[in-house]
Amino acid sequence: MRLWHNPASPFARKVRIVARETGLLPRIEEIAVMVSPVNPNADLAAKNPLVKIPALEANDGKVLYDSSVICEYLDSLHSGEHVIPSDATRWDALRLQSLCDGILDAAVLCRYETFVRPEAYRWNDWIKGQFTKINNGLDALAAEAPAWNAHFSIGQIGVACVLGYLDFRFADENWRGPRPQLAKWYEGVRQRASFLATMPV
Ligand code: BEZ
């Protein structure tokens, strides 16, 4: 299998962590590509009409996207402990993944708005609105963090990718300050081999 990714992308990181947590990494070739909405990558465009990463080319040639579909596909390929539970905790795990994807959507949009878009065209109220989503989402994560168990399910993997991305791109925002319970949870998770091996650059 071939995984098209960018080392800075938190969505690609989710897939790359799942590849490591499930033991599938030896079966995957990771291909790093540059992505930009204003300068689309031709190789990636041939695989995914949305020209977005992550995209996974399976061994039979089919190409899967987005990150949640790829994670589900990878989880179907092994017989170890699944990152997407099939018991009663399944819907909480999937809901948590959606919450994290939404926070990441807002964070990546802010990154593009403040870094890629020329300064003259930036819209501060819009950026503020995205940060409100990010902060409300983080407050919701902090409220439920004390109830999370040791299983590193797709929900917790998503949370780790959110916090890692905020540290990477928005360190000045100090997400930890008002959320010590979430910071405590993250201190344990950031030591995991799958997390260390996928640090954004
Ligand atoms: C970033 O550089 O922050 C980034 C790169 C690819 C996808 C999303 C974010």
Side-chain angles (χ1 to χ4, degrees), residues 37-53:
V38 289
N39 187 15
N41 179 293
D43 291 340
L44 185 59
K47 304 289 170 191
N48 177 354
L50 301 175
V51 205
K52 286 173 91 173
I53 44 97

Side-chain angles (χ1 to χ4, degrees), residues 94-105:
L94 291 176
R95 175 195 52 79
L96 194 51
Q97 174 179 223
S98 295
L99 175 57
C100 293
D101 284 354
I103 297 172
L104 287 175
D105 279 336

Side-chain angles (χ1 to χ4, degrees), residues 4-162:
W4 304 76
H5 77 100
N6 180 279
S9 162
F11 293 102
R13 189 179 197 187
K14 183 162 50 119
V15 173
R16 297 175 71 216
I17 289 176
V18 167
R20 286 156 177 80
E21 292 286 337
T22 55
L24 290 167
L25 185 62
R27 293 166 56 183
I28 299 173
E29 180 192 355
E30 293 187 321
I31 302 170
V33 288
M34 287 299 291
V35 283
S36 159
V38 289
N39 187 15
N41 179 293
D43 291 340
L44 185 59
K47 304 289 170 191
N48 177 354
L50 301 175
V51 205
K52 286 173 91 173
I53 44 97
L56 181 84
E57 191 172 6
N59 289 339
D60 63 4
K62 70 172 166 282
V63 180
L64 297 174
Y65 37 81
D66 57 5
S67 64
S68 54
V69 173
I70 299 172
C71 289
E72 185 149 4
Y73 178 70
L74 293 180
D75 210 31
S76 76
L77 297 182
H78 71 102
S79 52
E81 189 174 18
H82 288 283
V83 294
I84 303 174
S86 50
D87 65 9
T89 63
R90 175 180 181 82
W91 300 111
D92 261 342
L94 291 176
R95 175 195 52 79
L96 194 51
Q97 174 179 223
S98 295
L99 175 57
C100 293
D101 284 354
I103 297 172
L104 287 175
D105 279 336
V108 170
L109 285 174
C110 284
R111 169 71 183 163
Y112 281 133
E113 185 74 13
T114 53
F115 184 76
V116 179
R117 191 188 288 271
E119 201 164 353
Y121 301 111
R122 287 179 200 158
W123 184 7
N124 284 332
D125 283 349
W126 185 91
I127 296 173
K128 225 172 116 192
Q130 298 303 327
F131 270 107
T132 300
K133 289 183 194 221
I134 295 169
N135 282 313
N136 289 348
L138 288 170
D139 288 344
L141 295 180
E144 64 178 289
W148 294 337
N149 62 26
H151 181 39
F152 201 40
S153 81
I154 195 66
Q156 279 85 33
I157 292 171
V159 179
C161 292
V162 164

